[in-house]
Amino acid sequence: MRLILTAATIVTMVNSVLHASAAVKPLTPELMLTLARPSTASLSPNGQFAVFSASRYYTDTNKSIRNLHLVNLAHNNSFSDLTPQVPDTNHDNALWLDNDHVAFLSKGQLFVKSISSDAEPYPLTHFPVDINSVKFNQAANLIAFSAAVYADGSLAGAKKRDEHLKIFKKDTALAFDTLMVRHWDEFVQEKKNNIFVAHIKKNGDKFVVDGEAINLLLSTGLESPVIPFGDQGDFDISPDGKEVVFVSKINTPDNAWQTTTHIYTVPTAGGAAPKSINPESVGAASHPVYSATGKSIAYLQMLKPQYEADRNRIVVHTNGRSRIVAKDWNRSPSSILFDSKDETIFVTAEDQGHVKIFQIDLETETVEAIVSEHAQSGLNLIDDNTILYSTASLTAPNDLFTVDVKSKAIQRRTHVHADTLANVHLSKPEDVWFKGDEGRDIHGFLLKPIGFDPSKKYPLAFIVHGGPQSAFNDNWSTRWNPNIFASAGFVVVFLNPTGSTGYGQELTDAINKNWGGSPYIDLMKGLDHVLETHSYIDQTRVAALGASYGGYMMNWINGHTDRFNCLVNHDGIFDTKNGFYTTEELYFPEHEYGGVPWDPKARENYERWNPANFVQNWKTPTLVIHSDKDYRLPVTEGLATFTVLQRKGIPSRLVYFPDENHWVLKAANSLRWHAEVLNWIQKWTAHPKGTSPAAIDDDESVEFLTSQVKLD
């Protein structure tokens, strides 16, 4: 007998799912991964149009297409393709040159498309190497962009040396004299990100580059955007186009164990050294932006050294002086937008499971939420009373909305996913609140399964987030999307225990030197709470799953309780001490455990919260997933976990991705990931805990079928 599970049908394995209304379809991994993924919108100067890119994955070709879309905000929000959805298209980083022309990146160069003409896009730039992270200033007709260059700082020099090395370098060795050696998923390269500027002009009916590009970071040793995730949010152009503000991390030998980051300004004319406006900074700084008048710069500043999850303070720098705005506000903003008069700033910040838009009066420093549901991002100012932004939720990917700042009235502007998600089951989140360790108020969410019938019993998928200083929010994701599990017939519970963000800095900080303490107690208390208050959850069929810190927690759980039917550990820590010696960002374990592991006091914390010290207690069947390019938590952590499980005779399975990092991002790999995870938890929750799954005949196999993967 052969059981065939496809990525599109695996979620219908549980019998209760089959009783759902025929008109309602489950959210399958394949459907989720083929949904459009819109970018942040770019607003036309007159505020009448918005353009954004969206990628779509096609299972038949195993390729994605990213093209541009145009929204007419002034006339019925009409929606159209600005560039076609054709194979090998990858159009991104759209920006407006005027009210009719949009520039965008394609194959490493800028192209221009008119919104009022059917003419094909034409190339604007012909730089020797690929460029990224582009911004444009209309007042000065100035583009600013990043490019990776060698020590000579020139674009032509980068191309010449690349070609030379390709021909003459016979070995593959990389040599290092200081840390970091590698970061996230790449080894540190000789080339560094630098910010360049170049003027453009109109030549007839086309835009062209006017003169040579100027490297604003030439011979400084500074790098911006900051690797590994830096982009155009790491710099900004002043309204008059005469200056650029940017962020750069220290380049001294201690960069691997310090978060110190500085904000610099530099003239766009070139020839002048950048000047730091926060030279006293010992923590991380980010997101510098100019005010609309150009009189002020605002940025986000963390005060504690070595702590990447410290609260972001809003700093406004004016006339050489800096002040922290709303310094007692106990939330950590993630973006800043000025109004046109420098009187108000708008910020996004996590708050109790949502990412809200707040407005802050710069004179009174009062803080007021103006959009409070779901998760907001990508703010654009249409006028001082209207903001364009993106919203996503647990039941919908990003769409564009506007909000009236005074009345707080919200208007939906796009329906990108309406047709695709019509009649698809998307369970609405229910809030869960309970008392955790030390009487703390702990929050999370619960989703009911597809075809829910309160008279029936359902298995539970209990998901633990990573970070650990992060949170499950009412937001969409293609990784660990809770509605995938709800469509597979599970009640889904995902909590924000001690260490989570968006509930005040005290809760975030309380995980320090406490990794397996309060968070574990919170999770167990939360599980007890939902089991006691939701009679339709089958207490004998519970699976726990987690990635990164959540994977650490799976190993910790295995050493401290056997209450779960099975576990799923994605990229989790096995040994806290070894994790210090192999990770790249040393400031993280040094802060979390109180120092380096050879320091006696800090070593006590490493040992106290080390899952490897409790493997003698492991009993629970575990699926282990790890990837080779995960340099945050190297693959040896997953191999060690699997070795213990196998040596102890505990049912276990290792899924290894040689080409993924800390996240599984390639669509075909994601389909395989979902098939493996869903099959594992379905198998071990098909029967009450303590009952082995039905024996499989020797000639029976499980076959996973997707458009790309066949496993027999």
Side-chain angles (χ1 to χ4, degrees), residues 246-537:
F246 66 93
V247 60
S248 185
K249 194 173 185 292
I250 56 170
N251 54 15
T252 47
D254 60 349
N255 76 92
W257 57 90
Q258 296 294 339
T259 57
T260 308
T261 312
H262 295 294
I263 306 293
Y264 297 87
T265 60
V266 61
T268 57
K275 295 181 179 180
S276 174
I277 64 173
N278 66 336
E280 74 290 344
S281 171
V282 295
S286 62
H287 297 87
V289 295
Y290 284 96
S291 67
T293 66
K295 295 178 180 178
S296 298
I297 296 170
Y299 60 93
L300 301 176
Q301 178 72 61
M302 295 181 180
L303 302 182
K304 293 182 180 179
Q306 293 192 299
Y307 190 20
E308 65 176 10
D310 189 21
R311 179 165 65 91
N312 271 326
R313 279 77 169 180
I314 303 164
V315 180
V316 176
H317 181 83
T318 308
N319 296 325
R321 301 183 65 180
S322 298
R323 68 181 177 107
I324 296 176
V325 175
K327 64 180 180 180
D328 296 325
W329 184 40
N330 200 8
R331 292 296 181 264
S332 189
S334 55
S335 69
I336 306 172
L337 175 70
F338 276 93
D339 71 353
S340 68
K341 303 173 184 176
D342 294 9
E343 296 175 352
T344 302
I345 56 173
F346 304 96
V347 302
T348 54
E350 290 180 306
D351 186 34
Q352 297 191 345
H354 301 269
V355 183
K356 302 178 180 180
I357 299 176
F358 297 87
Q359 63 176 345
I360 303 175
D361 186 298
L362 289 177
E363 182 178 354
T364 65
E365 302 190 13
T366 56
V367 181
E368 180 184 12
I370 57 174
V371 181
S372 297
E373 297 297 321
H374 313 311
Q376 280 57 239
S377 61
L379 277 57
N380 284 270
L381 192 70
I382 295 179
D383 56 52
D384 281 343
N385 196 48
T386 312
I387 295 175
L388 174 72
Y389 62 96
S390 296
T391 290
S393 70
L394 283 163
T395 59
N398 270 329
D399 264 303
L400 290 180
F401 293 76
T402 53
V403 61
D404 182 296
V405 173
K406 294 179 181 177
S407 69
K408 301 185 179 64
I410 294 172
Q411 181 181 357
R412 187 180 189 124
R413 297 298 191 141
T414 63
H415 296 80
V416 176
H417 320 281
D419 292 339
T420 314
L421 292 179
N423 299 320
V424 173
H425 173 77
L426 291 164
S427 183
K428 294 182 179 180
E430 301 176 17
D431 289 297
V432 175
W433 286 95
F434 62 94
K435 292 291 183 181
D437 190 32
E438 299 185 4
R440 298 187 184 101
D441 291 321
I442 302 298
H443 174 248
F445 298 99
L446 179 147
L447 300 184
K448 292 187 174 75
I450 188 172
F452 176 70
D453 181 343
S455 67
K456 295 182 178 180
K457 293 280 190 178
Y458 296 91
L460 173 65
F462 188 71
I463 307 176
V464 181
H465 69 64
Q469 294 93 349
S470 65
F472 284 123
N473 292 313
D474 183 8
N475 200 354
W476 187 263
S477 177
T478 54
R479 295 179 296 110
W480 294 95
N481 188 313
N483 256 304
I484 289 290
F485 299 92
S487 273
F490 286 82
V491 176
V492 191
V493 171
F494 40 112
L495 306 176
N496 290 323
T498 297
S500 299
T501 52
Y503 300 87
Q505 195 62 33
E506 294 83 0
L507 185 73
T508 304
D509 293 345
I511 196 173
N512 184 242
K513 305 173 192 172
N514 187 24
W515 267 41
S518 293
Y520 173 75
I521 295 171
D522 293 343
L523 291 167
M524 295 304 103
K525 284 178 173 285
L527 179 57
D528 291 340
H529 171 75
V530 296
L531 293 178
E532 292 168 2
T533 55
H534 298 77
S535 61
Y536 51 81
I537 300 176

Side-chain angles (χ1 to χ4, degrees), residues 134-207:
V134 187
K135 284 191 170 180
F136 176 66
N137 176 275
Q138 191 175 14
N141 282 323
L142 186 80
I143 57 171
F145 60 90
S146 69
V149 294
Y150 293 97
D152 75 346
S154 73
L155 299 174
K159 180 181 181 181
K160 183 178 180 179
R161 180 157 175 77
D162 284 344
E163 292 173 344
H164 175 84
L165 292 174
K166 185 176 181 180
I167 296 172
F168 294 104
K169 190 176 189 297
K170 306 303 181 183
D171 67 88
T172 59
L174 298 173
F176 301 90
D177 297 306
T178 61
L179 295 174
M180 294 179 180
V181 169
R182 57 189 189 177
H183 204 173
W184 188 247
D185 60 2
E186 290 185 335
F187 277 77
V188 174
Q189 301 297 313
E190 184 181 353
K191 289 197 291 187
K192 305 298 179 186
N193 289 337
N194 280 192
I195 298 173
F196 292 77
V197 293
H199 288 279
I200 66 171
K201 66 180 181 180
K202 212 57 176 307
N203 185 6
D205 61 348
K206 292 186 176 181
F207 287 91

Side-chain angles (χ1 to χ4, degrees), residues 55-295:
S55 67
R56 293 169 178 81
Y57 173 66
Y58 295 87
T59 56
D60 55 342
T61 62
N62 190 29
K63 291 184 178 181
S64 294
I65 293 173
R66 178 179 288 277
N67 70 307
L68 302 183
H69 300 276
L70 183 69
V71 183
N72 190 331
L73 300 173
H75 294 91
N76 301 319
N77 299 313
S78 60
F79 177 82
S80 60
D81 287 349
L82 183 59
T83 58
Q85 298 181 39
V86 295
D88 299 320
T89 297
N90 186 11
H91 299 163
D92 202 6
N93 198 166
L95 46 93
W96 293 84
L97 303 181
D98 57 26
N99 287 317
D100 185 60
H101 294 88
V102 174
F104 61 92
L105 279 177
S106 178
K107 299 179 180 179
Q109 300 294 329
L110 278 177
F111 287 73
V112 178
K113 176 73 176 77
S114 168
I115 68 170
S116 61
S117 168
D118 292 332
E120 291 293 312
Y122 63 86
L124 169 60
T125 62
H126 301 85
F127 294 122
V129 296
D130 289 352
I131 66 173
N132 291 287
S133 304
V134 187
K135 284 191 170 180
F136 176 66
N137 176 275
Q138 191 175 14
N141 282 323
L142 186 80
I143 57 171
F145 60 90
S146 69
V149 294
Y150 293 97
D152 75 346
S154 73
L155 299 174
K159 180 181 181 181
K160 183 178 180 179
R161 180 157 175 77
D162 284 344
E163 292 173 344
H164 175 84
L165 292 174
K166 185 176 181 180
I167 296 172
F168 294 104
K169 190 176 189 297
K170 306 303 181 183
D171 67 88
T172 59
L174 298 173
F176 301 90
D177 297 306
T178 61
L179 295 174
M180 294 179 180
V181 169
R182 57 189 189 177
H183 204 173
W184 188 247
D185 60 2
E186 290 185 335
F187 277 77
V188 174
Q189 301 297 313
E190 184 181 353
K191 289 197 291 187
K192 305 298 179 186
N193 289 337
N194 280 192
I195 298 173
F196 292 77
V197 293
H199 288 279
I200 66 171
K201 66 180 181 180
K202 212 57 176 307
N203 185 6
D205 61 348
K206 292 186 176 181
F207 287 91
V208 296
V209 175
D210 184 18
E212 297 295 319
I214 300 172
N215 186 345
L216 301 183
L217 275 61
L218 182 65
S219 302
T220 64
L222 300 174
E223 182 171 18
S224 188
V226 178
I227 60 172
F229 303 120
D231 57 18
Q232 57 266 44
D234 280 2
F235 64 93
D236 197 21
I237 309 173
S238 64
D240 61 9
K242 295 181 179 180
E243 190 177 75
V244 163
V245 61
F246 66 93
V247 60
S248 185
K249 194 173 185 292
I250 56 170
N251 54 15
T252 47
D254 60 349
N255 76 92
W257 57 90
Q258 296 294 339
T259 57
T260 308
T261 312
H262 295 294
I263 306 293
Y264 297 87
T265 60
V266 61
T268 57
K275 295 181 179 180
S276 174
I277 64 173
N278 66 336
E280 74 290 344
S281 171
V282 295
S286 62
H287 297 87
V289 295
Y290 284 96
S291 67
T293 66
K295 295 178 180 178

